[in-house]
Amino acid sequence: MSTSSPATDLARLVRDGRRYWASPAGQAVWQAERACLGPVCERLFGAHSLELGMTSALADMCPVRHAMRWAPTRELVEQAATLVCPPDALPLRDDSLSLVVIHHLLEVLPDPHHMLQEAARVTADDGRLIIFGWVPLGPAGWSRAWPGRRRRLPWRGHWRTPGRLKDWLAFVDFEIERVDYCGFHLPGSLPRNAMLETLGRHHNLPLGDSYMIHARRKPQLAQTQRSRLTFARPLGGSVLGGATRLGPSRIEPEQERMTEGD
């Protein structure tokens, strides 16, 4: 009988993910995605942002004053301003962040719906929710057909189309503004071909390795209605579940009194 806990499994997943994103293949995709995110970040201003993912910072070029990262355990913390908590129980107030980035986590987490609900909850009415996902029918998707690959990152998990995530976002009262594709390359090569990347992004062809969804709260519901989703257990700022924030907090005064437990 397995004695591993959800936190242990999540920490193992993040370690595996970091190994992939540090590899030449992972770095090539990361650079293409960061270039895709850059123009979006240039137009975003605000006080606080959060990145949820397994790689190094993508949005560090954004002019947001207080940028936070996430880690499932203290051992995986890489910088001071880091939330240590389950990804579906963020110790933050509603509407407190100008930018939230979910980077290739919805494919591999056991409970992606709760995580998406939490990310939507903490995104401000005038903020942006950015989601990176793998294109099921792109070159990386084709390579999943190789035997045994679906048990390893990045090919494991459930790869969903932007159309499917559009339905998920609608349940948390968000809508997609735009979908951008990135990571263009020929089969068997890495996405380092500048000409293919420029051509693919210019025409926004759904043939890259990954996509980037820009989402925001539906304007007509921004002040009158919250998420219609209901789950078996409560979520939100009242559920900290042993969550810890490392580094200085500048969001809400009462969060300074949070216990910095192990």
Side-chain angles (χ1 to χ4, degrees):
M1 183 175 65
S2 174
T3 59
S4 63
S5 66
T8 301
D9 293 340
L10 186 56
R12 185 182 302 114
L13 172 67
V14 171
R15 290 190 185 96
D16 291 344
R18 288 182 178 179
R19 280 192 290 270
Y20 165 74
W21 289 106
S23 70
Q27 280 293 292
V29 176
W30 180 87
Q31 290 171 5
E33 292 178 338
R34 191 172 187 273
C36 199
L37 179 62
V40 179
C41 279
E42 292 174 358
R43 301 189 297 269
L44 286 175
F45 296 88
H48 311 285
S49 67
L50 173 65
E51 287 192 47
L52 297 152
M54 300 179 286
T55 186
S56 54
L58 277 168
D60 54 353
M61 78 292 282
C62 288
V64 175
R65 295 190 296 275
H66 181 212
M68 295 179 290
R69 304 290 306 285
W70 163 82
T73 64
R74 284 179 173 270
E75 292 74 21
L76 293 172
V77 171
E78 294 183 327
Q79 69 177 51
T82 297
L83 296 182
V84 180
C85 62
D88 59 357
L90 302 176
L92 299 172
R93 295 287 300 271
D94 294 356
D95 310 324
S96 57
L97 303 181
S98 301
L99 171 66
V100 177
V101 178
I102 301 176
H103 186 259
H104 295 289
L105 281 182
L106 295 180
E107 295 98 334
V108 292
L109 288 182
D111 196 355
H113 293 88
H114 277 101
M115 179 187 179
L116 183 61
Q117 186 194 30
E118 275 292 88
R121 179 185 66 80
V122 300
T123 302
D125 290 341
D126 59 348
R128 293 295 183 275
L129 174 60
I130 303 293
I131 301 172
F132 284 94
W134 297 107
V135 179
L137 298 180
W142 304 336
S143 66
R144 298 179 82 201
W146 288 89
R149 275 200 168 178
R150 295 198 181 205
R151 293 193 296 270
R152 295 182 286 125
L153 291 174
W155 301 282
R156 64 183 287 187
H158 301 281
W159 291 18
R160 301 173 179 92
T161 65
R164 179 58 173 157
L165 292 183
K166 178 181 178 181
D167 295 336
W168 286 23
L169 286 163
F171 276 107
V172 292
D173 296 333
F174 270 64
E175 61 185 3
I176 293 178
E177 288 189 313
R178 179 180 170 87
V179 179
D180 286 310
Y181 295 89
C182 49
F184 297 91
H185 61 95
L186 297 174
S189 65
L190 297 180
R192 289 176 174 164
N193 188 309
M195 182 180 69
L196 282 179
E197 190 72 18
T198 300
L199 183 65
R201 288 183 56 193
H202 177 74
H203 296 285
N204 205 24
L205 301 172
L207 299 174
D209 275 346
S210 61
Y211 56 79
M212 179 179 72
I213 291 176
H214 315 221
R216 65 178 301 174
R217 198 178 304 281
K218 294 179 181 179
Q220 68 272 22
L221 300 175
Q223 302 298 330
T224 60
Q225 184 177 346
R226 285 298 180 195
S227 170
R228 297 187 300 272
L229 282 178
T230 56
F231 295 100
R233 59 186 178 87
L235 294 174
S238 61
V239 180
L240 301 183
T244 303
R245 174 156 52 265
L246 300 184
S249 170
R250 290 175 285 173
I251 294 183
E252 292 294 338
E254 62 267 34
Q255 292 179 0
E256 295 290 343
R257 299 193 293 271
M258 288 176 56
T259 301
E260 295 288 334
D262 293 336

